[in-house]
Amino acid sequence: MTAGPTPGRKFGTAILIALLLAVPLFAVYLLVYDRQDQSNTARASIASGWGGPQTIAGPVLVLPYQAEATETVNEGGRSVVRTNRVWRELTLAPQVADVRTDIRPERRQRSIYEAVLFEAVASGNARFALPDDLQRFGITADQLAYDRAEIRFGLSDARGLFGSPPAVSANGRRLVLQPGKGSPATNNSGFFTWLDATSIRAAPIAVQFRFAFRGNGWLALAPQAGDTRWQVTSPWPHPSFQGGFLPTAQRVSDVGFTATWRVGNLALGRSLVSSGDTVPDSRPQVSDRFATASPAGDYEARVDLISPVDLYSQVNRSVKYGFLFIGFTFIAFLMFDVIGGVRVATIEYLLVGAGLVLFFVMLLAFAEVIGFAAAYIVAAAAIIGLLSAYSAAVLRSWRRGGYIAALLAALYGVLYVLLSLEAYALLIGSLLLFAALAGVMYLTRNLDWSGFRSQSSTD
C-alpha cells in the first residue's frame, strides 16, 4: 500500500498555495486604488463649475515708485553703462489684520460618489501705516507715487467668487475692484483696487473688506500682517487642522467647529515691507482646482473638511491583513488533516483561499454603496456561511465546519477591531500570531513531520 504524503509535505503544500494567493490579493490591492482614482475623478466632475481648494491672502498695500537702474550695453564694440528710470513697487503688509470666515459646507452626490463642497464668506479689516524707518530700505517717502497705490487680495481660484461683488473700502470710502494682481501665495490670482493713499503720510489707512466664494476640500490662509487674527466657524463636525500654524483656540462638536489662529510676521520670518519689480497685469495660471489631497504649506493655516470615514483607506488596510486570514484558516485545515486524519486536497485549499480573497472584493463593492460598516457585516456573513458549509463537506463533519465558522467569525471581528484601533494594530496582530504559533506548536508537539520516526519503528 502506498504511503500518503508526510505532514511536512502537507505543510509545504499549504504554504505554497498561500503564497500563490498573494497574486489575487495584490490584484485586489490594485483594484482598490483604481476605484479610488475613479472616485476622485467623479468628485472632480461633481465639483466642476464650483471652485477648487481655496487659499486666501492679503490684503497688502502696494505703492509704486521710480528708481534708477543701470545696465551695460555694447555699442560699437565697447561697453556703455546706461542709467534708466524704472517703476518698482513697495509692498506694505498691514500692521494688524483681523479676518473672519464663515464656511457653509454642502454634500453633493452623483451615483455612488460624494463630494464635500463649501460656500464661504470672508470679512475683516486691516490697518496700514508707513514705517518710520523707510529709509533703511533705500526709499524715501517722497519717492512714492501715492496716487497710483493699489490694495491687493489673493484668492487661489478666483473663479469661485460668487454672489454680490466683493466690497472693499478704505477709511470708509467704497473702492472699485479690478481682476487679477493677487498675491504670490495664490499664484497672483485674486483682485485689486486703485486708491489715492496720500493720507497714509499723516495717519494709518483702515481697510474693510467682505467677499463670498466657493471651494471644495479645504480652505487656507496665507498670513502676511504683523499680527494676523483669523477666526473660522462652520457647522461641519469633522475639521482637520493642517499647515505650519495650528489654531491657538478651537472648539469642535457634533454641531460644528470654531477655530482661531493668531500669527505674527516674526513667526513668518518676513518684514512688513518689501520692494521689487512691478507685477505684470496678466491672467494667472490656476493650478488643479480639484487637487484636494495636496499637502499644506509650512507658512499657512489650513482647515480641511474631511469625511469621517475614508472607505478606500479602510478597505486598503483590510487587504493588508489578507495573509492573516489565509494563514489562520489554512492552519485550521492543516490541523484537521495531520491530526484529525481528514484528507484535504490541494484544490480544496485553493477554493477556500479564493473565498477568503473574495471577501475583500465584496467589501469594496458593498462599501461604495452602503458604507463600510454595513458592507463589512454583509461580506463577512456571506463568506463565513459559504466557507463553513464547504468546510463541513470537506472535513466530513458539521461540527468541524462549525469550528471553521467560529474561527472566521473571530478573525473578522478582530480585523474590525484592528481597523478601528489603528494605534494598537501592530500590538494586537503580534499577539494573535504568537497565540497561533503557540497553539500549532502545542498541537503538533508529538507529530512526526518527516515520517522518519514511523519508518524507523517499522524497520
Side-chain angles (χ1 to χ4, degrees):
M1 186 169 106
T2 304
T6 64
R9 183 174 296 181
K10 294 178 180 179
F11 181 69
T13 302
I15 292 179
L16 180 60
I17 296 173
L19 292 176
L20 289 175
L21 289 172
V23 176
L25 265 182
F26 184 70
V28 174
Y29 196 72
L30 295 179
L31 177 63
V32 175
Y33 276 105
D34 179 68
R35 297 297 295 180
Q36 187 173 23
D37 184 64
Q38 290 187 33
S39 174
N40 293 335
T41 302
R43 290 172 182 171
S45 177
I46 295 172
S48 178
W50 193 263
Q54 295 285 16
T55 298
I56 56 178
V60 294
L61 177 63
V62 177
L63 298 167
Y65 67 95
Q66 282 193 316
E68 292 185 351
T70 60
E71 63 175 348
T72 302
V73 298
N74 192 340
E75 290 185 354
R78 56 179 185 157
S79 298
V80 178
V81 177
R82 288 184 175 179
T83 302
N84 300 315
R85 301 281 292 178
V86 296
W87 281 102
R88 291 183 175 170
E89 294 178 343
L90 178 75
T91 302
L92 293 180
Q95 294 178 325
V96 177
D98 192 355
V99 185
R100 296 171 298 279
T101 306
D102 180 33
I103 303 175
R104 299 184 296 275
E106 179 181 345
R107 295 179 184 266
R108 290 206 173 181
Q109 286 187 314
R110 179 175 298 171
S111 183
I112 62 175
Y113 302 107
E114 180 182 85
V116 179
L117 313 178
F118 66 83
E119 295 179 353
V121 176
S123 60
N125 54 78
R127 186 176 74 244
F128 296 93
L130 278 179
D132 296 331
D133 58 349
L134 186 61
Q135 293 81 0
R136 290 179 180 270
F137 300 91
I139 306 169
T140 64
D142 294 332
Q143 287 181 262
L144 301 175
Y146 298 98
D147 59 334
R148 300 178 62 175
E150 297 174 356
I151 298 178
R152 297 175 180 173
F153 294 82
L155 184 66
S156 58
D157 190 357
R159 294 172 293 184
L161 290 168
F162 81 104
S164 58
V168 178
S169 61
N171 291 336
R173 179 171 171 267
R174 184 75 175 263
L175 303 174
V176 179
L177 301 178
Q178 305 293 331
K181 287 189 177 181
S183 167
T186 60
N187 196 25
N188 294 327
S189 174
F191 52 91
F192 74 102
T193 180
W194 292 297
L195 81 158
D196 187 344
T198 305
S199 62
I200 198 173
R201 304 190 66 172
I205 293 179
V207 175
Q208 296 80 35
F209 57 89
R210 178 185 175 87
F211 57 95
F213 57 93
R214 289 170 170 164
N216 78 89
W218 49 262
L219 173 65
L221 173 73
Q224 296 173 311
D227 183 9
T228 301
R229 294 187 288 266
W230 187 35
Q231 183 181 65
V232 179
T233 58
S234 174
W236 187 257
H238 309 291
S240 176
F241 303 113
Q242 306 287 334
F245 304 104
L246 296 179
T248 54
Q250 66 184 64
R251 186 176 68 254
V252 181
S253 66
D254 293 338
V255 295
F257 74 92
T258 299
T260 303
W261 286 260
R262 189 164 186 176
V263 182
N265 70 303
L266 296 182
L268 296 170
R270 181 186 306 163
S271 172
L272 297 183
V273 181
S274 62
S275 61
D277 296 330
T278 57
V279 175
D281 188 8
S282 60
R283 186 180 297 274
Q285 294 294 322
V286 181
S287 59
D288 186 359
R289 58 160 58 184
F290 307 113
T292 57
S294 59
D298 292 334
Y299 293 95
E300 68 179 21
R302 183 170 121 176
V303 57
D304 292 30
L305 305 182
I306 63 172
S307 297
V309 177
D310 183 356
L311 67 91
Y312 294 105
S313 175
Q314 288 190 301
V315 174
N316 192 16
R317 287 179 55 212
S318 67
V319 173
K320 295 177 181 178
Y321 293 100
F323 271 113
L324 190 69
F325 283 77
I326 295 172
F328 274 81
T329 308
F330 278 17
I331 286 174
F333 273 83
L334 185 64
M335 293 300 100
F336 283 122
D337 190 345
V338 300
I339 297 178
V342 180
R343 181 71 62 88
V344 180
T346 301
I347 189 63
E348 292 167 342
Y349 277 110
L350 281 171
L351 291 175
V352 171
L356 294 172
V357 173
L358 181 60
F359 162 78
F360 300 104
V361 179
M362 295 180 63
L363 176 62
L364 174 62
F366 280 103
E368 290 183 329
V369 180
I370 61 177
F372 183 81
Y376 194 93
I377 295 174
V378 171
I383 296 301
I384 290 173
L386 174 66
L387 294 186
S388 59
Y390 183 70
S391 300
V394 170
L395 301 176
R396 300 175 181 85
S397 169
W398 278 104
R399 184 178 180 182
R400 292 167 180 166
Y403 290 149
I404 298 298
L407 172 66
L408 291 175
L411 284 175
Y412 286 124
V414 170
L415 176 60
Y416 194 84
V417 173
L418 289 176
L419 295 175
S420 303
L421 303 175
E422 184 175 0
Y424 300 99
L426 180 60
L427 175 62
I428 298 175
S430 61
L431 291 176
L432 279 175
L433 292 175
F434 177 81
L437 179 60
V440 171
M441 293 173 71
Y442 176 79
L443 292 173
T444 61
R445 65 192 185 279
N446 298 319
L447 186 65
D448 182 12
W449 289 98
S450 63
F452 288 156
R453 279 181 281 178
S454 59
Q455 184 178 0
S456 300
S457 62
T458 304
D459 294 342

